[in-house]
Amino acid sequence: MKKEAMQAVLQKIKEYDRIIITRHVRPDGDAIGSTKGLWKILQLSFPQKEIYLLNEDQSEYLEFLGGESEPIDAEKYADALCIVLDTGNVERISNKKYSLCRELVKIDHHIDHNPYGDVSWVETHRSSVCEMVAAFYAEFADELKIDTEAATCLYAGMVTDSGRFRYDSTSGDTLRLGGLLLDQGINTEVLFSNLYLKEFEMLKFEAYIYDKMHITENGVAYVYVDREMQEKFRLSQEDASAAVSYMDAIKGALCWIAFIDNPGEDTVIRVRLRSRFVTINTIAENHNGGGHACASGATVYSLEEMQQVIAEADARVKEYKETHEGWL
């Protein structure tokens, strides 16, 4: 089935002279790496085609991987193929003109609650969509081309979405495909410097989070990154979202949550949920979100709803600890 889906994607690519690639809003490393990696592979492999990477929300995150296409006239969408990567539902597609395209391809690794696309290739066991694009290249290496730049984009997304190959979605196939990308000459020292070196102010923000975070009775760590905190440290939305990763090493805490004020919308609080062992995507689904079993996002609209999320997570962790052994 996997090979049939990959073959269907390749066939659609071959059928069109104009291809538009896009991803989800507020992109993470996998969304950025997979779209830029596929864009570069297709440009190398099909130089006669018009291939664009077009998103309506631009992000400074991973900007060292290079820029994207300039906007094109809406009329050009009518006879184009749109490929959407790392996006579980159409509401989160960054380029809202996707519906103008003749056909739509979905490539994703999230649980397929909201199927869409004329062709859909979804593999929920994959560590990242970047891994899927690497597998796509490997499957059709006799027809597709890759270079160091494309491999670096894909490897960056694989590294960030797998927690540097620590999460349980990492498989032997993940590492084999990572090796294939490394063989393209990726400068890992430069890559990891760009990914993980921090500005001095961000280190102070991290220390501030440790002072402001809380933990529930049953082991849910959480922090509220309000507007005042964002202004104090001059945080972008990506910087503020990083707060969730600062809480992942607390012994006994099986879930950690960052609540982040959205400066552009008074009542909107973005939620980043992460967990170890415990399934939390259903909690996110209760609050306008979703995602992976142990890594999800949601949106709440009041401090009261924020407390509801904390209470639901605390009950979920309590239940897990009471019914499982060997969870540390």
Side-chain angles (χ1 to χ4, degrees):
M1 184 64 181
K2 176 188 76 171
K3 187 170 182 178
E4 291 177 4
M6 295 168 75
Q7 184 66 60
V9 172
L10 182 61
Q11 182 58 41
K12 285 300 175 188
I13 290 169
K14 289 179 176 180
E15 289 176 11
Y16 282 82
D17 293 326
R18 183 177 296 123
I19 298 169
I20 295 167
I21 299 171
T22 189
R23 57 182 176 242
H24 62 73
V25 295
R26 297 188 294 273
D28 58 1
D30 189 28
I32 293 170
S34 62
T35 50
K36 289 187 176 181
L38 180 63
W39 181 38
K40 295 175 192 300
I41 286 172
L42 296 187
Q43 286 178 319
L44 289 168
S45 306
F46 304 100
Q48 75 281 10
K49 296 180 184 287
E50 294 179 38
I51 303 171
Y52 302 96
L53 175 55
L54 295 167
N55 296 283
E56 292 176 10
D57 65 326
Q58 297 300 314
S59 173
E60 295 179 358
Y61 183 47
L62 302 190
E63 60 184 355
F64 70 92
L65 293 176
E68 302 183 5
S69 303
E70 293 296 321
I72 61 174
D73 294 337
E75 292 77 13
K76 289 191 172 184
Y77 283 75
D79 58 353
L81 173 69
C82 183
I83 304 177
V84 183
L85 293 94
D86 197 36
T87 309
N89 55 63
V90 294
E91 290 78 15
R92 298 196 69 223
I93 296 175
S94 173
N95 188 342
K96 300 308 179 186
K97 296 187 184 74
Y98 76 89
S99 59
L100 301 177
C101 292
R102 183 179 297 170
E103 289 190 284
L104 184 66
V105 169
K106 175 183 181 180
I107 303 175
D108 193 25
H109 71 140
H110 296 94
I111 299 170
D112 202 15
H113 290 308
N114 305 102
Y116 65 86
D118 299 283
V119 172
S120 178
W121 172 27
V122 177
E123 293 191 36
T124 57
H125 68 282
R126 293 287 189 179
S127 70
S128 62
V129 174
C130 283
E131 179 183 332
M132 295 174 68
V133 176
F136 181 70
Y137 163 73
E139 183 68 32
F140 304 112
D142 57 335
E143 299 183 70
L144 300 177
K145 297 179 181 179
I146 196 170
D147 63 5
T148 303
E149 191 176 1
T152 299
C153 292
L154 296 177
Y155 195 75
M158 288 179 69
V159 166
T160 55
D161 231 38
S162 68
R164 284 179 271 188
F165 307 112
R166 292 183 298 120
Y167 301 155
D168 62 4
S169 58
T170 300
S171 66
D173 208 24
T174 307
L175 298 179
R176 282 185 287 272
L177 289 166
L180 180 149
L181 296 175
L182 286 172
D183 287 344
Q184 302 304 315
I186 297 171
N187 187 327
T188 53
E189 186 170 2
V190 170
L191 174 61
F192 284 105
S193 294
N194 275 286
L195 286 175
Y196 299 115
L197 292 182
K198 299 176 182 178
E199 298 288 348
F200 185 62
E201 284 300 311
M202 282 301 296
L203 288 173
K204 290 200 289 185
F205 170 59
E206 185 172 345
Y208 193 76
I209 290 295
Y210 293 141
D211 185 55
K212 295 297 182 181
M213 66 184 181
H214 305 275
I215 191 165
T216 66
E217 177 182 358
N218 294 297
V220 176
Y222 64 93
V223 69
Y224 178 30
V225 185
D226 59 19
R227 294 186 186 187
E228 182 180 353
M229 196 184 301
Q230 292 178 45
E231 291 170 1
K232 177 182 177 69
F233 293 99
R234 299 178 181 177
L235 302 175
S236 67
Q237 284 291 288
E238 289 83 4
D239 292 337
S241 296
V244 70
S245 65
Y246 302 155
M247 300 179 286
D248 67 354
I250 303 171
K251 193 169 185 178
L254 299 189
C255 178
W256 44 102
I257 311 172
F259 298 93
I260 303 149
D261 267 343
N262 189 336
E265 299 175 86
D266 289 342
T267 61
V268 174
I269 302 172
R270 293 169 55 206
V271 187
R272 292 290 174 265
L273 300 99
R274 302 290 184 268
S275 66
R276 182 176 294 108
F277 311 129
V278 182
T279 299
I280 45 83
N281 63 297
T282 50
I283 296 173
E285 290 164 11
N286 292 339
H287 299 276
N288 313 290
H292 302 291
C294 296
S296 294
T299 304
V300 298
Y301 297 94
S302 67
L303 296 180
E304 291 75 18
E305 191 177 2
M306 186 172 78
Q307 292 301 320
Q308 291 174 19
V309 172
I310 295 168
E312 290 173 32
D314 190 60
R316 186 71 55 85
V317 170
K318 181 176 187 292
E319 179 185 17
Y320 185 89
K321 287 183 175 181
E322 289 176 347
T323 56
H324 293 77
E325 296 180 355
W327 50 265
L328 302 181

